[in-house]
Amino acid sequence: MTLYYTLIFGVLVAEMTMFILLMLPVPSKYRRPVTLALVKPFEQPQIQVAVKCVLVFILLLFVDTINRVYKIESELNVNPVAASGSDRAEVLSRKFYAQRNMYLTGITLFLTFTVFRTFHLVSELLTSKEVYRADPADKNQIKKEIAGIDAEIASLKERAESLQADM
C-alpha cells in the first residue's frame, strides 16, 4: 500500500475511534467532557482548513480509484479469452488493489460525514438535556405543549376514523 493510502487508513482508524467514543453509552456528566475534548482541536481555523484539504484529497483519490477500476474492468472485458494466465492474473491483481483503494477511500469519506453528523446530534442532545434540567418552569411548559399536541393527535385520529367510516 502506498504512503497516501496508508495515511488514509490512519484517518479511517482515527474516525472509527472518534465514532466509538461518541457512541459509547456513558452518563451525560462524562459524555460532555469527552465530546468537548474530541471537538476542541477541530474548532481552530487552521485545523478546519487542513481537514477540508485532506477530505478533498481523499475525494480526488476516490474518484481516481473509480476511474482505475472502470479502466481495469474494461481491459478485462475487451479480450478476456486471448489473455494468457499470467497476464490475466496480473490484471486481476491490479483490479483487486484498485477496488481495495476505492473501498478504503469511500468508507473514509462516508465515516467522516457520519462522525460529523453524530457529533452534532450528541451535542444537540447534551444541550437539550441541560436546558431540560436547568429550568423547572420550562418543564411545565413543555409538558403542557406535549399534552396539547397529544389532544390534537387524539382529535385528528377521531376525525380520521369518522371520515373512514363515512367512506
Side-chain angles (χ1 to χ4, degrees):
M1 196 160 31
T2 59
L3 178 63
Y4 45 88
Y5 285 116
T6 305
L7 293 174
I8 291 173
F9 182 73
V11 170
L12 178 65
V13 170
E15 288 175 350
M16 289 189 304
T17 305
M18 287 181 69
F19 187 71
I20 288 171
L21 288 175
L22 285 172
M23 297 309 301
L24 284 176
V26 294
S28 295
K29 72 177 187 175
Y30 300 119
R31 181 182 297 258
R32 184 149 183 85
V34 168
T35 305
L36 291 176
L38 282 175
V39 80
K40 188 168 184 145
F42 296 103
E43 291 176 349
Q44 298 175 358
Q46 296 89 354
I47 303 273
Q48 288 179 356
V49 169
V51 167
K52 289 176 184 175
C53 290
V54 167
L55 288 177
V56 168
F57 178 69
I58 293 172
L59 179 65
L60 290 174
L61 285 173
F62 180 65
V63 171
D64 180 53
T65 57
I66 289 174
N67 288 334
R68 190 170 295 145
V69 167
Y70 178 73
K71 285 179 186 177
I72 293 171
E73 190 66 34
S74 65
E75 185 179 329
L76 276 173
N77 290 336
V78 167
N79 203 356
V81 178
S84 67
S86 63
D87 290 342
R88 184 166 175 80
E90 188 266 333
V91 171
L92 289 174
S93 175
R94 286 188 317 169
K95 181 180 176 183
F96 167 75
Y97 289 125
Q99 286 178 342
R100 176 200 64 188
N101 295 337
M102 181 182 65
Y103 293 132
L104 177 67
T105 54
I107 195 66
T108 303
L109 288 173
F110 176 75
L111 194 57
T112 300
F113 299 122
T114 305
V115 167
F116 283 138
R117 183 65 186 143
T118 303
F119 168 73
H120 288 297
L121 287 173
V122 167
S123 63
E124 185 178 321
L125 174 71
L126 290 173
T127 55
S128 296
K129 282 184 178 180
E130 285 178 2
V131 167
Y132 184 73
R133 290 179 182 158
D135 194 8
D138 284 342
K139 287 182 189 178
N140 293 332
Q141 181 183 1
I142 291 172
K143 287 180 182 179
K144 289 177 185 176
E145 288 177 13
I146 290 173
I149 291 172
D150 285 341
E152 185 179 343
I153 289 172
S155 68
L156 289 174
K157 282 183 182 179
E158 290 174 6
R159 288 177 55 194
E161 288 173 0
S162 66
L163 286 173
Q164 197 165 13
D166 289 344
M167 294 174 134

